[in-house]
Amino acid sequence: MLQIKNLYAYYGKIEALSGVTCHVRTGEIVTLIGANGAGKTTLLNSLCGLVRSRGNISFDGASIMHLAPEAVVACGISQAPEGRQIFAPLTVEENLELGAYLRFRQRQQQEIAVDLKKIYDLFPRLWERRLQAAGALSGGEQQMLAIGRALMAKPRLLLLDEPSLGLAPLMVDIIMDTVVRLRREGVTILMVEQNARTALGIADRGYVLETGRIILSGPAADLLNDRQVTRAYLGKDYREFTEGR
């Protein structure tokens, strides 16, 4: 579905990605892990047309390099960004409807109403709070809203940037269970996560980024058991636990 080849990205004169090559197959959950500043968010923003880049990005065999962000959304890619970036003064339902902005312009109101109900079925808490200001939601509820808003664009590829950031463990479990459910329902997912253990636990494959380069890749289960990954991202306790089993 997604093919990235030799991608470089820049903030001014600073090179944030250095020749990244990776891919996502239809129906997969693929995770990008790495330390802060490794380039994970930059990679997602490059896919969305938000960062100056060069190289090649193709989606379903067609290049999406240099497309405007709204054109990328129209192709079938949407993102739940890091930090959620909800519109705090607007209601929950207004935030969700904004996710379907391009579809409103295409006069898909009946389909949008059906999809809005699906989001409320996926996240019942959003239904309960649909008329409340989004800024009054808890962190976990705001993350649900950010994912729901991205889904309202009806993407075939969903980009998730740090969906577990700042959440309590129980809420992290709910969000990750939702990610797995979305994959079962036909949404392909590329997810950035600092919580490597959680991300690799639900992913099919993973890539490890370090200072703008991919240094490791493979099946998620293999990365979970890779000594370099456990040492750098999973911690000493996890390594000793797995080696002692």
Side-chain angles (χ1 to χ4, degrees):
M1 178 180 281
L2 180 73
Q3 181 74 53
I4 302 168
K5 292 184 179 179
N6 205 30
L7 184 67
Y8 291 78
Y10 304 88
Y11 294 103
K13 294 183 178 180
I14 298 173
E15 186 177 270
L17 295 177
S18 305
V20 169
T21 295
C22 58
H23 67 277
V24 179
R25 301 183 185 98
T26 301
E28 283 190 312
I29 298 174
V30 175
T31 189
L32 302 168
I33 63 173
N36 279 335
K40 305 184 302 295
T41 293
T42 299
L43 179 54
L44 294 193
N45 286 341
S46 296
L47 299 180
C48 294
L50 297 170
V51 175
R52 183 169 64 91
S53 59
R54 63 180 174 89
N56 185 263
I57 304 171
S58 61
F59 182 66
D60 279 347
S63 176
I64 60 170
M65 284 295 292
H66 311 307
L67 289 184
E70 63 270 23
V72 174
V73 174
C75 286
I77 300 173
S78 66
Q79 179 177 185
E82 182 180 12
R84 296 134 201 171
Q85 297 186 31
I86 61 168
F87 299 97
L90 301 183
T91 67
V92 167
E93 191 152 299
E94 287 168 338
N95 270 268
L96 292 173
E97 288 174 342
L98 279 172
Y101 174 73
L102 291 179
R103 300 175 63 200
F104 274 111
R105 293 179 61 188
Q106 297 163 0
R107 302 184 184 279
Q108 298 180 16
Q109 280 83 345
Q110 286 187 326
E111 293 179 20
I112 290 168
V114 171
D115 290 335
L116 186 61
K117 183 179 183 303
K118 289 180 181 178
I119 299 302
Y120 288 141
D121 289 342
L122 185 66
F123 296 120
R125 292 194 195 186
L126 296 184
W127 165 255
E128 296 167 3
R129 292 158 174 76
R130 66 191 182 280
L131 301 180
Q132 293 182 12
L137 301 182
S138 70
E141 291 164 348
Q142 289 185 11
Q143 187 61 64
M144 293 175 185
L145 180 56
I147 294 172
R149 183 181 59 188
L151 290 171
M152 286 298 292
K154 215 170 181 65
R156 288 180 296 120
L157 175 62
L158 176 63
L159 310 178
L160 299 176
D161 196 351
E162 302 285 7
S164 75
L165 185 65
L167 302 186
L170 180 59
M171 186 58 69
V172 172
D173 290 343
I174 292 172
I175 295 297
M176 293 302 161
D177 287 346
T178 301
V179 172
V180 173
R181 175 177 169 180
L182 289 172
R183 190 264 295 274
R184 286 200 303 265
E185 294 177 356
V187 181
T188 302
I189 295 164
L190 176 59
M191 176 172 62
V192 158
E193 257 297 337
Q194 264 196 295
N195 189 335
R197 192 183 316 176
T198 297
L200 292 171
I202 66 168
D204 299 293
R205 293 186 303 110
Y207 293 93
V208 180
L209 269 71
E210 188 173 284
T211 59
R213 295 176 172 84
I214 290 176
I215 60 168
L216 281 173
S217 65
D222 291 351
L223 293 178
L224 267 173
N225 294 309
D226 185 280
R227 293 184 67 85
Q228 184 176 351
V229 174
T230 57
R231 183 168 58 249
Y233 303 107
L234 301 180
K236 177 174 178 288
D237 292 341
Y238 180 81
R239 188 171 69 255
E240 290 180 349
F241 170 74
T242 54
E243 289 175 351
R245 282 189 299 181

